[in-house]
């Protein structure tokens, strides 16, 4: 086990620094074209607004095979802004980089920590003050951005993370896995000390884990408006099975760990927005991008259908849900409403139950959900032709997960694994007339 994410030389470097009121952490991996602009903009913003708080920029690189770390180190910043640049120890992934940042912020006794992505080309220096000031003023413990998007980008967060968090925690997050996130120093110290860094949290599950941990720990979570956000490259990697497994596996495991919360009655509440007036973004039309193809995603889902996947569906889904899913996949193209909000909620709750209470391989359970996730994506895109329609569909989906929470609680409490049923039949404890 890695006792720390920091190499020895980095620990010595940090020990020689005086405490910092503000730390900005920049995890990077193969970002040579954008890292200099990000480091430069962050440095200028810290110098102009937070020079009196002895700010520190921490760049933690994921062992890039290019000049990302070298460029970040050589980028000039004002003398009032100190710098730490390092690689991390631990499992390869964003989570290990963030662990290193949390450890450094804790050692520097930071009052506030801001995480900034290294590949954002729409980054504006004023984001720094907008995200840090409410934390320093103790208006919130965790501050999430409310970005402006010019079109639907149906990530795992929209189709799975947002509705599951809404259903189980009663909190509707517009961006549950943001790249930029500000937090109090005490929250960073809490994250650094958690025993999760040998799991998928150290890889791609870290964003989901941070939000759920904050909500479950009664941290004051708030949002603040930012303008249009663009990355250098489209986030198409969100559709890869490996990343899906790490993110959704983390989410499903957290449902078990935080079961004391969702077993209580809840109602859906929005996250407070600071300040109350949303910002205008005049640059929205400046960066056109093609609308995602519902038909292409649908065909990708159908191509993943195989006997082993169907076997996992039989193990996880109740028979009526399995029949409904099979009927949906029999269609050659996506149609609005074909995969309803209520059915999707029940399907996901079936899979969460099988993942946590079944006797099979949990990873196979998650991967069997992946084709159905794509089908649900295609359905949402087919239903929405504008950003407003898409957001309305996502909001409606969140309410469906809240409405079906009672179904999930009953499914969880009454669950009997297929393996157990088969054993009972083998031992003669059940016969074909039993309804199991």
């Amino acid at each position: 086990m890695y006792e720390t994410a920091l190499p020895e030389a980095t620990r010595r470097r940090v020990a020689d620094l005086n405490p910092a009121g503000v730390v900005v952490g920049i995890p990077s991996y193969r970002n040579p074209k954008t890292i200099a602009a990000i480091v430069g903009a962050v440095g200028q913003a810290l110098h102009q607004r937070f020079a009196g708080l002895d700010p520190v920029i921490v760049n933690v690189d994921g062992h890039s095979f290019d000049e990302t770390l070298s460029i970040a180190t050589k980028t000039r910043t004002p003398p009032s802004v100190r710098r730490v640049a390092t690689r991390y120890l631990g499992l390869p992934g964003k989570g290990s980089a963030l662990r290193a940042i949390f450890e450094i912020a804790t050692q520097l006794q930071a009052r506030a920590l801001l995480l900034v992505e290294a590949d954002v080309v729409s980054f504006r220096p004023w984001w720094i003050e907008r995200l840090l000031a409410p934390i320093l003023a103790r208006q919130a413990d965790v501050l999430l951005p409310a970005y402006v998007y010019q079109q639907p980008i149906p990530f795992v967060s929209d189709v799975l993370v947002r509705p599951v968090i809404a259903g189980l925690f009663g909190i509707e997050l517009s961006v549950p896995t943001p790249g930029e996130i500000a937090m109090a120093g005490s929250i960073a110290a809490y994250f650094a000390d958690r025993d999760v860094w040998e799991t998928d949290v150290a890889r791609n599950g870290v964003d989901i884990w941070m939000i759920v941990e904050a909500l479950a720990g009664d941290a004051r979570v708030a949002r603040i408006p930012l303008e249009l956000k663009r990355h250098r490259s489209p986030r198409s990697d969100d559709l890869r099975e490996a990343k899906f497994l790490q993110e959704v596996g983390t989410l499903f495991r957290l449902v078990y760990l935080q079961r004391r919360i969702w077993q209580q009655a809840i109602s859906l509440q929005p996250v407070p927005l600071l300040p109350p007036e949303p910002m205008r973004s005049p640059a929205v039309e400046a960066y056109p991008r093609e609308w995602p193809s519902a038909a292409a995603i649908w065909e990708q889902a159908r191509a993943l259908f195989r006997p082993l996947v169907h076997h996992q569906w039989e193990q996880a889904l109740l028979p009526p849900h399995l029949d409904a899913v099979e009927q949906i996949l029999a269609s050659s193209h996506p149609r609005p409403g074909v995969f309803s909000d209520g059915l999707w909620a029940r399907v996901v709750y079936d899979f969460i139950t099988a993942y946590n209470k079944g006797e099979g391989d949990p990873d196979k359970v998650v991967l069997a959900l992946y084709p159905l996730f794509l089908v649900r994506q295609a359905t949402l895109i087919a239903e929405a032709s504008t950003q407003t329609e898409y957001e309305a569909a996502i909001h409606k989906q969140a309410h469906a997960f809240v409405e079906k929470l009672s179904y999930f609680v009953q499914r969880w409490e009454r669950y009997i694994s297929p393996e157990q049923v088969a054993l009972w039949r083998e031992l003669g404890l059940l016969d074909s007339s039993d309804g199991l």
Side-chain angles (χ1 to χ4, degrees):
M1 177 179 177
Y2 293 95
E3 298 295 335
T4 176
L6 301 179
E8 179 61 31
T10 303
R11 292 201 299 272
R12 291 197 300 267
R13 160 70 174 147
V14 174
D16 290 338
L17 296 176
N18 292 326
V22 167
V23 171
V24 175
I26 307 173
S28 63
Y29 180 67
R30 299 175 63 181
N31 307 116
K33 296 183 182 299
T34 56
I35 189 67
I38 293 294
V39 172
V42 169
Q44 288 297 325
L46 290 175
H47 172 69
Q48 293 172 5
R49 301 298 184 184
F50 299 105
L53 293 178
D54 300 317
V56 174
I57 296 176
V58 178
N59 173 221
V60 178
D61 187 70
H63 302 272
S64 301
F65 298 107
D66 55 27
E67 297 182 345
T68 297
L69 188 57
S70 174
I71 293 172
T73 303
K74 294 176 181 177
T75 300
R76 292 184 178 182
T77 56
S80 62
V81 180
R82 295 168 293 167
R83 304 275 298 282
V84 175
T86 185
R87 293 184 172 89
Y88 60 76
L89 303 176
L91 298 178
K94 179 181 178 180
S96 291
L98 294 190
R99 181 192 185 189
I101 293 172
F102 296 149
E103 289 187 21
I104 292 173
T106 301
Q107 291 182 35
L108 293 175
Q109 303 173 37
R111 291 170 51 195
L113 167 66
L114 172 62
L115 302 175
V116 175
E117 288 189 300
D119 69 336
V120 178
V121 295
S122 60
F123 182 83
R124 299 291 181 267
W126 56 263
W127 287 12
I128 300 293
E129 181 178 14
R130 195 168 185 84
L131 287 163
L132 280 174
I135 299 294
L136 292 168
R138 299 184 179 180
Q139 293 176 284
D141 300 315
V142 176
L143 193 59
L144 308 176
Y147 298 118
V148 175
Y149 290 111
Q150 66 190 102
Q151 68 169 42
I153 306 177
F155 292 161
V156 173
S157 63
D158 284 345
V159 183
L160 268 170
V161 182
R162 284 179 65 174
V164 169
I165 289 179
L168 302 186
F169 294 93
I171 297 292
E172 187 168 13
L173 296 169
S174 57
V175 186
T177 57
E180 285 65 50
I181 177 172
M183 66 190 73
S186 59
I187 300 293
Y190 173 80
F191 287 162
D193 193 49
R194 305 302 289 166
D195 184 18
V196 297
W197 304 111
E198 296 291 323
T199 71
D200 281 338
V201 172
R203 302 183 190 274
N204 286 307
V206 65
D207 292 321
I208 295 169
W209 173 80
M210 284 192 297
I211 298 304
V212 172
E213 283 286 309
L215 292 172
D218 294 325
R220 295 174 302 154
V221 180
R223 298 178 299 144
I224 199 157
L226 295 182
E227 61 180 19
L228 179 73
K229 182 180 183 182
R230 291 188 305 126
H231 293 270
R232 183 173 181 270
S233 302
R235 293 305 180 90
S236 58
D237 61 339
D238 225 81
L239 299 181
R240 295 176 184 171
E241 287 179 279
K243 186 174 183 182
F244 182 87
L245 173 61
Q246 293 165 16
E247 292 186 345
V248 177
T250 298
L251 177 65
F252 284 7
R253 179 61 176 165
L254 287 167
V255 172
Y256 173 80
L257 295 175
Q258 305 298 342
R259 59 193 181 279
R260 64 175 178 82
I261 296 176
W262 54 261
Q263 289 176 335
Q264 304 172 13
I266 60 172
S267 60
L268 190 59
Q269 301 292 331
V271 175
L273 188 66
L274 305 175
E277 300 84 9
M279 294 187 57
R280 298 182 61 187
S281 180
V284 169
E285 287 79 22
Y287 309 106
R289 191 185 300 165
E290 293 184 2
W291 194 272
S293 170
I297 296 175
W298 186 274
E299 286 306 312
Q300 183 183 0
R302 285 165 55 87
L304 292 171
F305 180 79
R306 54 181 74 98
L308 287 177
V309 170
H310 190 268
H311 174 70
Q312 290 294 328
W313 293 353
E314 292 175 331
Q315 299 291 299
L317 295 172
L318 290 181
H321 302 158
L322 177 61
D323 292 343
V325 164
E326 290 174 337
Q327 291 178 18
I328 291 171
L329 281 172
S331 176
S332 60
H333 61 278
R335 293 178 289 105
V338 68
F339 204 150
S340 69
D341 298 328
L343 175 61
W344 176 237
R346 294 192 300 272
V347 165
V348 172
Y349 285 150
D350 281 351
F351 271 86
I352 293 175
T353 304
Y355 177 92
N356 285 293
K357 306 194 78 172
E359 299 176 7
D361 185 343
D363 288 353
K364 290 182 180 179
V365 175
V366 172
L367 291 176
L369 180 60
Y370 183 65
L372 300 181
F373 156 75
L374 294 176
V375 171
R376 176 60 181 171
Q377 276 193 324
T379 303
L380 286 172
I381 294 171
E383 292 175 351
S385 58
T386 66
Q387 176 68 28
T388 300
E389 291 178 357
Y390 179 77
E391 284 298 325
I394 296 299
H395 179 70
K396 182 168 165 282
Q397 175 185 250
H399 278 274
F401 273 70
V402 175
E403 292 170 359
K404 300 301 179 184
L405 179 59
S406 59
Y407 163 79
F408 175 52
V409 173
Q410 293 180 10
R411 182 85 165 100
W412 182 278
E413 293 176 347
R414 301 176 183 178
Y415 180 80
I416 302 175
S417 71
E419 294 84 1
Q420 187 66 52
V421 173
L423 177 61
W424 288 348
R425 286 205 170 103
E426 182 179 339
L427 295 175
L429 301 176
L430 293 174
D431 57 38
S432 58
S433 64
D434 290 297
L436 294 176

